[in-house]
Amino acid sequence: MKIIMLGAPGAGKGTQAQMIASEKGIPHISTGDIFRANIKEGTDLGKEAKTYMDQGKLVPDELTVRILLDRVAKDDCKNGYVLDGFPRTIPQANVLDEELAKLNDHVDFAINVDVPDENIISRMSGRRACPKCGATYHVKHVPPKKEGICDKCGSELVLRDDDKPETVKKRLGVYHEQTQPLIEYYTGKGILRTVDGTVDPKDVYAAINEILAEV
Ligand code: AMP
């Protein structure tokens, strides 16, 4: 099953993507995590991506599409995947559809985790991420077992630079301008499903599970 998670930054799509992926036994692919891993390793790709990410801008389509297509071509993606943070623009969605069509394949669902802007900024300031393994938490909604420490790998959690309030405001603007049109795009394809992202993450997940049972 191939699933796309849509939603504003901070809507909780990463948390839901992780839950779906572990339940279904398919990889959770976050382009943001791939960029961050490259930044950490100091690769050329990381250096280029960082200049955009630090400003709350999108990394150019060409670069983003290349890393995504490389990733989904790997063996562990044979039975599907959950994409978190890709596509973020109409051209990215077009490339994904074209590449899948070549393989006689398609995206099954685009799940829009809907959260109004006014909830997003206060939410993001509570977000914490593991710089080592990429796991994400929220101090209130998805706390780690031990405060400030990653459940999965024991590293110290951080507030990412791009989750800071000034960057979040910029990212919301970019989301409305460049990513929101994807809602219409996937509605047109008949695969968009919207869930209320303001409720408890477990209830968001239950709503998503009902949708996935449609297949
Ligand atoms: P995320 O972790 O998904 O919120 O992504 C963090 C940042 O990485 C974004 O603000 C963008 O700068 C960049 N990024 C991640 N995914 C994409 C994408 N599909 N297209 C362009 N930029 C992206």
Side-chain angles (χ1 to χ4, degrees):
M1 189 181 292
K2 296 182 176 64
I3 302 162
I4 286 171
M5 302 302 293
L6 290 178
K13 59 186 187 312
T15 305
Q16 296 299 325
Q18 283 176 22
M19 290 160 84
I20 298 165
S22 75
E23 170 85 9
K24 302 269 172 213
I26 53 179
H28 162 217
I29 300 176
S30 152
T31 36
D33 283 350
I34 297 175
F35 289 136
R36 281 183 288 276
N38 275 275
I39 291 172
K40 210 168 150 230
E41 285 162 25
T43 67
D44 287 346
L45 168 73
K47 281 179 199 142
E48 188 173 350
K50 191 173 184 330
T51 60
Y52 298 95
M53 290 168 77
D54 282 351
Q55 300 175 61
K57 289 184 182 165
L58 294 186
V59 176
D61 285 339
E62 199 195 72
L63 190 64
T64 308
V65 160
R66 189 150 41 86
I67 62 133
L68 190 274
L69 293 181
D70 277 357
R71 178 64 188 89
V72 297
K74 297 223 160 92
D75 252 13
D76 63 338
C77 291
K78 275 203 303 271
N79 297 325
Y81 41 78
V82 186
L83 297 186
D84 162 18
F86 185 98
R88 260 182 160 99
T89 65
I90 296 278
Q92 291 180 13
N94 279 326
V95 173
L96 180 63
D97 281 343
E98 283 159 20
E99 290 300 316
L100 287 172
K102 283 184 200 162
L103 305 168
N104 240 335
D105 206 349
H106 60 274
V107 174
D108 294 283
F109 290 112
I111 297 175
N112 176 30
V113 181
D114 189 33
V115 177
D117 278 12
E118 51 271 30
N119 297 27
I120 296 276
I121 294 178
S122 63
R123 241 191 210 204
M124 299 271 274
S125 60
R127 221 151 98 145
R128 298 291 179 273
C130 176
K132 194 162 170 218
C133 75
T136 52
Y137 301 87
H138 191 283
V139 290
K140 215 162 90 198
H141 308 299
V142 196
K145 291 192 186 91
K146 192 172 166 210
E147 197 186 317
I149 302 293
C150 180
D151 290 348
K152 293 187 180 153
C153 72
S155 303
E156 205 165 312
L157 301 175
V158 298
L159 175 65
R160 288 178 353 202
D161 282 346
D162 58 358
D163 285 342
K164 294 187 173 147
E166 29 335 325
T167 320
V168 171
K169 283 189 195 139
K170 250 184 244 162
R171 292 174 70 201
L172 276 173
V174 169
Y175 167 76
H176 288 300
E177 197 181 307
Q178 300 194 59
T179 307
Q180 212 170 354
L182 290 173
I183 291 177
E184 206 173 309
Y185 177 91
Y186 288 115
T187 301
K189 296 197 174 283
I191 60 168
L192 186 93
R193 304 288 184 276
T194 296
V195 294
D196 178 0
T198 63
V199 298
D200 188 278
K202 286 195 196 77
D203 297 326
V204 180
Y205 183 64
I208 293 174
N209 243 337
E210 268 181 40
I211 292 166
L212 301 183
E214 279 178 42
V215 172

